[in-house]
Amino acid sequence: MIRFSLKKGQQLFKKQFQAFSTQQNLIEIFIDDVPHKVDPSATIFQACYSAGVIIPRFCYHERLAVAGNCRMCLVEVEKSPKPVAACAAQVAPGMRILTKSEKTRIARGGVMEFMLANHPLDCPICDQGGECDLQDISEQYGYGDSRHNEYKRAVEDKNFGPLVATSMNRCIHCTRCIRFSDEYAGVTELGTSGRGRNTEIGTYIDKMITSELQGNLADICPVGALTNGPYAFTSRPWELKSYDSVDVFDTIIPLIQIDTRGAEIMRVLPRIHEEVNEEWLNDKSRQAFDGLKKQRLTLPLARDAQGNFADLYWPDAIQQAAKKLQSVKGEEIVGVIGEFADCESIVALKDLLNRFDSDNFEIRGTGVPQLDADFRANYLFNSRITGIEEADVLLLVGTNPKIESPLLNSRILRATRKNNLKVFLIGPANDLTYNYVHLGNNASILDEIANGTHPFAARLKSAKLPMILTGAGVLERVDGNAIHNALKKIAQNSPVINAQQGWNGFNLLHKDVGRINALELGITARRSSVPPKVVILLGVDNNLNAQDIPKDAFVIYIGSHGDEGAYYADLILPGATYTEKNGTYVSTEGRVQTTKLVALPPSGAKSDWEILRALSEECGCALPYDSLEEVRYRIAELAPHLLKYDYIEPSVLGQVALKPESSKQTISATPFRDLIDNFYMTDAISRQSVTMAKCSTAFNPHKFSTFKQL
């Protein structure tokens, strides 16, 4: 359960109504005989909350539409014959509100008595215990004895899937789950059926919820009806220690809270950040952490002549790697940067290769995009995530944000409903949870728009603040440079770049944070024409092909899991994951965030930059840093803005950076394809997750089941 502090609640309401406050005069109301100046568009609940007066509630949620069906927020209003629901009633000049009167207390006590009439006494075994709003509020407003002698109703539990556990006997029909599914997840699968005592919440027919954001249902449920499925019966909240960190599965890098018991991670919850993830989290970021325990590399391993791996001591492994590096020329060494590589590790790898006069790098996540690090506007989400709320036209090119970034897709959904955002798509016609105009799945359409011969070109030019959102997979194609140039030409010929209003709507949606980190440090993918003799894989576990690595090359893998990268390795040096080190990461919009050391890596594993530092010393060219602070000083020399945490360095020179380049390459007629085949298993960590494997089979049984449907 996510709890709002008073300070955060005041900040949220201030943000929601600051636009109105500048246009309208504040009115005076009296809350418990104390005068307050409030916005005339506020409800009684919002006015009381901003004044520091807490009103109990169940159905009301700051980010959801008002339902007004729990009636727990009843207050006494002078001259009103009956108590008023604070969440649904608007303030009026001179209104006198009494939140602590006897009439208010009796009204709330009556509502609580009806709520507990059918609520089971499951508190000792309920996973919501200790975080339950019903427990807290009933402690204050509940009666010692019940006047209801009837049998409590019984409701059959629903199967919502492996992520959300249900105990529908506890449901109080607040409808938060229904409103979240519709307004944020974009799925209308949940609803109510029946009347009165027979009312139930479910999916009407027996089916699972198919949203990538369904884990948030457990967060917003005020009772124990919907709980975190994989976390069920594992621990109590008072046994846990919480750490603030960030998630790296999603390239917008949402803020998370990691709860541990001892050295074990028990659950991951979202933290509030209005400009990034608000207070939500996608299901992979929330539940894939159990993959951190599986298939881990705990000791250095070396491949023998028979192709089998044998354990090594760390000094022997470092010595063997150093001998291989010293036995070849600098141009024969290649460093490949993986999908979860942090800035500290990338800097250490860069400095090590530079010591050998090598500048051969590859940035490999799902492919090799053709991007240049010279101008940040080339590869960032320039309008920022919040820019979606300002845009009036959005062109999606070769991307499926519902799968690539569900939280970003949720913002687009709400912009289409609240701000009348018009969405156009060039690419596969997937279900994005909102209406859009499908322009086709042919890349040559971009040339037509750039030349002004396509009807959409006129629509784009007439827009006030248009936005282009391109998936990173588009630039991995053979004609990636031509597509990039066409997109730049479209931006130059339309208000996508509007210097007068400070608007740059040219956006790229990355899939891997390691790629962004490398670009921010000025590393552009390039490889020498000389075949490599030594290949260093820095956490690379995606899109490796045998033809990319010569048979006679010696492969050093620095990573955490025995996945694809370890398969090609001749020497394995076990590294740490994002929860086991303090690392710096940059989001797709250029926001700098840091992960925190939550749990120590398995015995024998080390932080990646420490491994590279030890390797450099064994090679006789020791890197000039021995601590994390010194590594970050080195980062500051290359990119000073990477030490400005939770800050976005403005990407200037948009007109210059996005100027089309002269190129003879043409766009092919090959249609776009989906970048991600399975949302739940995209990397070395999620592929080892038991929970993600259950989701893959549950939500796509025809594809991931090994048995035929007879």
Side-chain angles (χ1 to χ4, degrees):
M1 185 70 198
I2 301 177
R3 296 190 177 276
F4 281 87
S5 67
L6 179 60
K7 182 179 179 182
K8 286 190 178 294
Q10 291 171 337
Q11 291 174 348
L12 180 60
F13 291 129
K14 181 180 179 181
K15 178 182 178 183
Q16 289 179 340
F17 298 106
Q18 61 184 356
F20 297 96
S21 299
T22 59
Q23 299 173 10
Q24 302 181 26
N25 296 325
L26 299 179
I27 61 174
E28 184 179 47
I29 64 172
F30 297 88
I31 303 175
D32 296 327
D33 296 326
V34 178
H36 293 278
K37 295 285 187 179
V38 299
D39 193 285
S41 62
T43 62
I44 294 176
F45 186 97
Q46 293 164 338
C48 291
Y49 211 102
S50 62
V53 178
I54 304 300
I55 296 178
R57 48 38 187 307
F58 290 114
C59 69
Y60 180 80
H61 193 280
E62 289 81 356
R63 301 184 192 277
L64 302 177
V66 175
N69 51 7
C70 79
R71 319 309 285 182
M72 196 63 221
C73 61
L74 291 175
V75 295
E76 181 182 356
V77 177
E78 195 175 80
K79 298 181 181 179
S80 176
K82 296 187 296 184
V84 176
C87 67
Q90 193 169 347
V91 295
M95 178 181 282
R96 291 185 174 272
I97 305 164
L98 300 176
T99 66
K100 300 177 182 177
S101 66
E102 184 66 12
K103 186 176 181 180
T104 299
R105 189 192 67 80
I106 293 174
R108 293 175 182 173
V111 172
M112 178 57 64
E113 190 174 8
F114 276 114
M115 289 223 177
L116 296 178
N118 282 309
H119 198 80
L121 297 175
D122 285 350
C123 295
I125 61 166
C126 179
D127 270 322
Q128 197 77 355
E131 299 174 310
C132 179
D133 289 350
L134 189 62
Q135 277 184 335
D136 298 338
I137 297 174
S138 64
E139 186 72 22
Q140 183 175 0
Y141 294 101
Y143 297 136
D145 298 319
S146 174
R147 291 178 289 176
H148 297 277
N149 299 319
E150 298 83 3
Y151 287 110
K152 293 180 182 289
R153 70 175 191 144
V155 182
E156 185 179 354
D157 293 341
K158 308 297 189 297
N159 179 18
F160 286 169
L163 300 181
V164 180
T166 63
S167 181
M168 303 311 289
N169 285 336
R170 306 169 188 162
C171 181
I172 62 172
H173 304 150
C174 70
T175 68
R176 281 188 182 184
C177 54
I178 297 173
R179 285 173 282 150
F180 174 83
S181 298
D182 178 49
E183 297 170 22
Y184 281 84
V187 294
T188 55
E189 297 169 344
L190 282 177
T192 58
S193 60
R195 296 186 66 185
R197 184 181 173 87
N198 297 320
T199 301
E200 294 186 22
I201 288 180
T203 55
Y204 301 110
I205 58 176
D206 188 15
K207 62 173 295 187
M208 289 178 284
I209 302 174
T210 56
S211 170
E212 293 79 16
L213 298 172
Q214 62 179 284
N216 297 286
L217 298 177
D219 287 342
I220 63 174
C221 182
V223 294
L226 304 179
T227 55
N228 189 331
Y231 173 71
F233 311 117
T234 57
S235 63
R236 288 296 193 181
W238 54 83
E239 301 174 339
L240 304 177
K241 185 175 181 180
S242 300
Y243 297 86
D244 290 344
S245 188
V246 297
D247 169 64
V248 297
F249 290 103
D250 194 333
T251 55
I252 69 170
I253 307 191
L255 276 65
I256 59 174
Q257 171 188 309
I258 302 177
D259 291 341
T260 65
R261 185 176 62 186
E264 185 178 5
I265 297 175
M266 303 305 296
R267 66 178 180 181
V268 173
L269 298 175
R271 286 192 292 134
I272 298 174
H273 196 301
E274 297 297 332
E275 298 179 3
V276 182
N277 60 308
E278 297 176 297
E279 63 177 272
W280 317 119
L281 198 61
N282 73 65
D283 294 337
K284 183 167 58 176
S285 300
R286 183 188 297 267
Q287 301 292 3
F289 67 87
D290 64 327
L292 299 171
K293 310 172 190 176
K294 311 291 183 182
Q295 202 77 6
R296 289 301 300 270
L297 301 171
T298 58
L299 291 172
L301 301 171
R303 193 188 296 270
D304 57 24
Q306 287 74 36
N308 301 318
F309 283 107
D311 296 350
L312 284 179
Y313 290 110
W314 267 108
D316 297 336
I318 294 296
Q319 192 175 43
Q320 182 176 342
K323 286 182 179 179
K324 288 293 182 180
L325 288 171
Q326 292 172 320
S327 65
V328 298
K329 299 178 182 179
E331 60 183 7
E332 297 174 332
I333 303 174
V334 171
V336 187
I337 298 170
E339 50 272 20
F340 292 146
D342 56 286
C343 291
E344 289 81 0
S345 305
I346 295 173
V347 162
L349 179 63
K350 173 182 170 60
D351 289 346
L352 176 62
L353 264 62
N354 291 161
R355 292 291 194 278
F356 288 95
D357 295 328
S358 173
D359 199 26
N360 301 328
F361 290 96
E362 284 191 13
I363 309 169
R364 186 177 293 269
T366 53
V368 187
Q370 303 172 27
L371 291 171
D372 196 337
D374 292 341
F375 293 102
R376 299 176 71 237
N378 266 326
Y379 57 83
L380 287 182
F381 200 109
N382 293 291
S383 69
R384 303 190 182 187
I385 295 171
T386 54
I388 294 173
E389 300 166 3
E390 304 174 28
D392 56 344
V393 171
L394 172 61
L395 174 62
L396 301 175
V397 181
T399 182
N400 182 358
K402 180 176 181 290
I403 301 299
E404 296 175 31
S405 183
L407 293 172
L408 185 69
N409 194 67
S410 178
R411 282 192 185 260
I412 299 175
L413 168 66
R414 281 173 288 129
T416 59
R417 294 181 176 181
K418 294 183 178 181
N419 305 331
N420 199 27
L421 173 67
K422 302 300 181 183
V423 182
F424 299 82
L425 171 67
I426 301 176
N430 297 303
D431 177 17
L432 300 181
T433 70
Y434 44 82
N435 295 326
Y436 60 85
V437 178
H438 190 219
L439 300 179
N441 191 19
N442 193 331
S444 60
I445 298 174
L446 294 172
D447 264 340
E448 298 177 15
I449 298 174
N451 297 329
T453 58
H454 195 279
F456 178 69
R459 179 68 180 88
L460 197 63
K461 288 182 180 180
S462 64
K464 294 180 180 178
L465 295 176
M467 177 187 294
I468 298 176
L469 180 56
T470 308
V474 170
L475 305 183
E476 298 168 7
R477 294 165 44 119
V478 177
D479 56 348
N481 279 334
I483 292 176
H484 205 193
N485 275 334
L487 291 169
K488 290 178 180 179
K489 188 175 179 181
I490 294 171
Q492 295 284 351
N493 296 339
S494 66
V496 170
I497 302 177
N498 191 331
Q500 293 180 348
Q501 299 191 34
W503 175 259
N504 186 348
F506 188 90
N507 299 323
L508 192 65
L509 179 59
H510 290 274
K511 181 189 168 292
D512 306 299
V513 290
R515 174 184 301 169
I516 310 170
N517 294 340
L519 291 168
E520 286 289 281
L521 289 167
I523 297 177
T524 300
R526 61 171 62 89
R527 179 188 278 196
S528 171
S529 57
V530 178
K533 295 293 182 62
V534 175
V535 179
I536 302 177
L537 303 179
L538 183 61
V540 181
D541 286 299
N542 278 350
N543 201 46
L544 279 173
N545 298 312
Q547 56 267 29
D548 294 337
I549 302 175
K551 292 184 178 180
D552 60 342
F554 187 82
V555 180
I556 302 172
Y557 173 73
I558 302 174
S560 58
H561 286 74
D563 202 76
E564 188 175 345
Y567 174 80
Y568 290 95
D570 296 298
L571 178 65
I572 295 175
L573 304 177
T577 62
Y578 71 103
T579 61
E580 299 161 355
K581 60 185 175 183
N582 295 301
T584 303
Y585 293 87
V586 186
S587 72
T588 192
E589 62 175 345
R591 187 183 299 272
V592 184
Q593 302 282 15
T594 57
T595 58
K596 298 295 187 294
L597 174 63
V598 174
L600 293 175
S603 175
K606 310 289 182 184
S607 292
D608 299 348
W609 76 265
E610 293 177 344
I611 297 173
L612 294 165
R613 168 64 179 81
L615 182 56
S616 69
E617 187 168 354
E618 185 67 28
C619 292
C621 53
L623 300 178
Y625 32 78
D626 298 316
S627 66
L628 180 65
E629 290 74 17
E630 293 178 355
V631 177
R632 289 179 173 172
Y633 289 150
R634 171 58 179 153
I635 291 176
E637 294 176 359
L638 298 174
H641 67 281
L642 294 184
L643 295 189
K644 300 176 182 178
Y645 303 124
D646 197 21
Y647 174 76
I648 301 176
E649 185 75 15
S651 53
V652 296
L653 302 176
Q655 290 279 3
V656 177
L658 300 176
K659 185 178 180 181
E661 301 174 359
S662 58
S663 175
K664 296 181 180 179
Q665 191 181 64
T666 58
I667 297 178
S668 70
T670 306
F672 292 119
R673 61 178 180 84
D674 289 326
L675 179 64
I676 298 176
D677 182 54
N678 177 15
F679 166 75
Y680 298 99
M681 304 178 100
T682 57
D683 50 77
I685 298 175
S686 59
R687 282 195 289 266
Q688 314 307 325
S689 168
V690 174
T691 304
M692 294 296 99
K694 291 180 179 178
C695 291
S696 297
T697 54
F699 300 129
N700 200 341
H702 297 290
K703 182 172 184 178
F704 293 98
S705 176
T706 56
F707 300 97
K708 293 182 178 180
Q709 297 289 337
L710 300 178

